[in-house]
């Protein structure tokens, strides 16, 4: 299944989460999806993303999956890396907000620390996603910019003191 479709499913599942445990479970589903997208981009994505994508693929240690396993196992392609990373960043932001809400509302110490661990993973993944989006923006900006024929030649503005 294509990355943006899986992300949309994750956003819907998070929105439909009825309990604190459901929210934590969806947070780990989102983290597994971030890892899967990172792995895919590290192998098949644009060259400038591969290092950062490898780092994304290694973030977070989630609990053992039940019989259904992670939704991320269904990932088959990342057709639009920029679109997928943008949507993934939005999902991770929503996960972080939901987890903060659970952590603040719970009196159960175990659940609180589960939330903190998941918040840390989502935050680190968000940082990687933003870094990859910046790299894509730089690459796309370089492609969109016409070549500068005056570069390296003397001409107007050369020798100015600013």
């Amino acid at each position: 299944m294509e990355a943006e479709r899986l992300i949309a499913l994750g956003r819907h599942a998070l929105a439909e989460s009825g309990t604190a445990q459901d929210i934590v479970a969806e947070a780990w589903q989102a983290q597994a999806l971030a890892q899967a997208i990172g792995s895919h981009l590290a192998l098949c994505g644009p060259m400038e993303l591969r290092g950062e994508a490898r780092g994304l693929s290694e973030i977070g240690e989630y609990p053992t999956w039940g019989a259904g396993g992670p939704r991320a196992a269904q990932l088959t392609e990342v057709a639009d890396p920029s679109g997928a990373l943008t949507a993934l960043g939005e999902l991770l932001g929503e996960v972080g907000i939901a987890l903060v809400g659970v952590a603040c509302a719970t009196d159960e110490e175990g659940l609180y620390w589960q939330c903190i661990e998941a918040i840390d993973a989502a935050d680190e993944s968000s940082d990687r996603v933003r870094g990859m989006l910046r790299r894509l923006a730089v690459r796309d900006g370089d492609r969109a910019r016409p070549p500068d024929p005056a570069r390296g030649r003397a001409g107007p503005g050369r020798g100015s003191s600013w």
Side-chain angles (χ1 to χ4, degrees):
M1 189 177 300
E2 206 281 322
E4 289 186 73
R5 185 167 174 214
L6 278 171
I7 293 165
L9 288 173
R11 291 179 81 180
H12 179 74
L14 180 64
E16 295 295 314
S17 296
T19 68
Q21 291 297 338
D22 290 343
I23 291 171
V24 173
E26 285 306 320
W28 288 117
Q29 287 280 355
Q31 186 58 42
L33 184 54
Q35 288 178 325
I37 290 170
S39 293
H40 184 84
L41 291 174
L43 294 173
C44 307
M47 289 302 294
E48 54 273 343
L49 296 186
R50 292 189 179 182
E52 198 79 37
R54 195 171 306 105
L56 178 62
S57 73
E58 298 170 352
I59 298 170
E61 291 295 323
Y62 39 83
T64 306
W65 296 105
R71 243 187 313 303
Q74 298 173 42
L75 180 70
T76 57
E77 69 175 314
V78 181
D80 174 16
S82 181
L85 290 169
T86 298
L88 180 60
E90 291 168 358
L91 172 61
L92 292 168
E94 291 169 8
V95 161
I97 291 167
L99 288 168
V100 167
V102 171
C104 289
T106 189
D107 292 331
E108 186 182 326
E109 188 174 349
L111 179 58
Y112 172 81
W113 287 110
Q114 286 177 25
C115 289
I116 297 303
E117 185 178 343
I119 289 167
D120 287 345
D123 187 48
E124 188 175 346
S125 292
S126 291
D127 288 347
R128 294 280 182 170
V129 167
R130 281 190 300 275
M132 288 190 283
L133 286 169
R134 280 191 300 273
R135 288 179 187 272
L136 286 175
V138 166
R139 178 194 72 173
D140 293 345
D142 287 345
R143 286 185 184 167
R145 187 177 318 144
D148 183 2
R151 183 171 282 170
R153 289 194 235 149
R158 291 285 282 189
S160 66
S161 59
W162 36 292

